[in-house]
Amino acid sequence: MIKLGEKQVLKVVKKVDFGVYLADTDPEEKVLLPNKQVPEGTEVGSKIEVFIYRDSDDRLIATTNEPKIMLGDVRMLKVKDVARIGAFMDWGLEKDVLLPFKEQTRKVKPGEEVLCAMYIDKSNRLCVTMNVYQYLLTNSPYGKDDKVKGTVYEMSDNFGAFVAVDDIYSGLIPKKELYGNIQIGDQVTARVVSVKDDGKLNLSIREKAYLQMDTDAQKVFSMIEQCGGKLPFTDKASPELIRDKAGMSKNEFKRAVGRLLKEGKIEIKPDSIVKK
């Protein structure tokens, strides 16, 4: 059986002027390997490893070129063009592959790189999607407190930021761990907080509390200086205001303020924090 979107070894069953026809076990099910792709010395009966896709006329065709992505893979691909039906992505072959609009988690633009997975659509064509969740692996080599890097591929108001660790493993930065303006496509460095029973990774973009405290204290002190030596709220402010203004939780903010207070760098007023 000839498998669309995969590499396989097929046998030459017929030579023609414009190439050779390849088949698996059924000689009636053939696919063309064009002349410019045929290795020197190929004869009927030779076996060749090829990748199968569809040409511009929607016919199955073989190539010995290496595609940047295959069926079920998750890879970074560059946007070559955006058209009425979606974006056309460079995957290393002559015919670009389509990223349909309905498979985009955000609008893409030419020249940028996007994390994609390859699938076969209802018309039996190869396409790619930015909805990569189901294609990510859950057997990562990482454990608690390991540092990892990954690509944010989805943002959820309920759950947080979904991250493809190393662009292949499934991870999540829970909503409570989100700080700053993280967006789809961002590259993040994170710490593994835990490995779930199903192998997915829970992540944090912040260090453990005792390591993060110094960084947070420096950040708060810089904020005070930028505000002319007076921050117009204290650690008694609402968690929402603190997260919005300082990019940290209320507890983290209180620890940072406590560190600065202990160091004698600040004074807490009823409605403000001032530099000494």
Side-chain angles (χ1 to χ4, degrees), residues 29-43:
E29 186 186 21
K30 299 187 292 288
V31 63
L32 176 68
L33 178 64
N35 247 337
K36 59 184 177 182
Q37 299 280 314
V38 178
E40 188 175 347
T42 296
E43 301 291 343

Side-chain angles (χ1 to χ4, degrees), residues 59-124:
R59 299 170 300 195
L60 285 181
I61 193 150
T63 179
T64 53
N65 289 337
E66 184 78 17
K68 296 178 180 178
I69 189 171
M70 293 189 283
L71 188 64
D73 285 346
V74 180
R75 299 286 187 272
M76 296 292 292
L77 299 180
K78 182 174 285 188
V79 181
K80 286 189 70 175
D81 194 15
V82 177
R84 181 177 54 82
I85 57 174
F88 288 96
M89 315 295 288
D90 176 11
W91 62 317
L93 301 184
E94 291 182 10
K95 180 191 174 187
D96 300 327
V97 66
L98 178 67
L99 169 61
F101 276 125
K102 64 183 178 65
E103 297 295 335
Q104 297 177 20
T105 55
R106 64 169 175 82
K107 288 185 178 180
V108 301
K109 55 187 179 182
E112 71 172 313
E113 291 199 339
V114 178
L115 191 67
C116 299
M118 176 161 276
Y119 70 100
I120 297 175
D121 71 5
K122 293 179 180 178
S123 301
N124 204 31

Side-chain angles (χ1 to χ4, degrees), residues 18-178:
F18 45 86
V20 298
Y21 280 99
L22 309 171
D24 189 17
T25 54
D26 182 358
E28 296 302 315
E29 186 186 21
K30 299 187 292 288
V31 63
L32 176 68
L33 178 64
N35 247 337
K36 59 184 177 182
Q37 299 280 314
V38 178
E40 188 175 347
T42 296
E43 301 291 343
V44 172
S46 297
K47 291 185 177 180
I48 307 173
E49 184 179 54
V50 293
F51 177 77
I52 307 298
Y53 68 114
R54 291 187 182 277
D55 64 14
S56 54
D57 293 319
D58 220 24
R59 299 170 300 195
L60 285 181
I61 193 150
T63 179
T64 53
N65 289 337
E66 184 78 17
K68 296 178 180 178
I69 189 171
M70 293 189 283
L71 188 64
D73 285 346
V74 180
R75 299 286 187 272
M76 296 292 292
L77 299 180
K78 182 174 285 188
V79 181
K80 286 189 70 175
D81 194 15
V82 177
R84 181 177 54 82
I85 57 174
F88 288 96
M89 315 295 288
D90 176 11
W91 62 317
L93 301 184
E94 291 182 10
K95 180 191 174 187
D96 300 327
V97 66
L98 178 67
L99 169 61
F101 276 125
K102 64 183 178 65
E103 297 295 335
Q104 297 177 20
T105 55
R106 64 169 175 82
K107 288 185 178 180
V108 301
K109 55 187 179 182
E112 71 172 313
E113 291 199 339
V114 178
L115 191 67
C116 299
M118 176 161 276
Y119 70 100
I120 297 175
D121 71 5
K122 293 179 180 178
S123 301
N124 204 31
R125 298 185 183 95
L126 290 173
C127 293
V128 292
T129 177
M130 292 171 68
N131 295 299
V132 302
Y133 180 83
Q134 64 178 307
Y135 302 97
L136 295 175
L137 304 177
T138 56
N139 59 343
S140 85
Y142 299 114
K144 188 176 183 333
D145 292 331
D146 283 345
K147 293 291 182 61
V148 297
K149 293 182 179 181
T151 303
V152 177
Y153 65 87
E154 184 178 345
M155 297 294 298
S156 167
D157 290 337
N158 293 324
F159 299 105
F162 288 91
V163 178
V165 174
D166 296 342
D167 292 343
I168 55 173
Y169 301 115
S170 184
L172 172 70
I173 304 173
K175 186 177 180 180
K176 66 179 182 178
E177 294 288 343
L178 278 180

Side-chain angles (χ1 to χ4, degrees), residues 221 259-267 274-276:
F221 194 70
R259 170 62 61 86
L260 294 173
L261 199 60
K262 186 176 180 181
E263 293 174 350
K265 293 182 176 180
I266 61 169
E267 185 179 350
V274 296
K275 177 183 175 182
K276 277 192 174 180

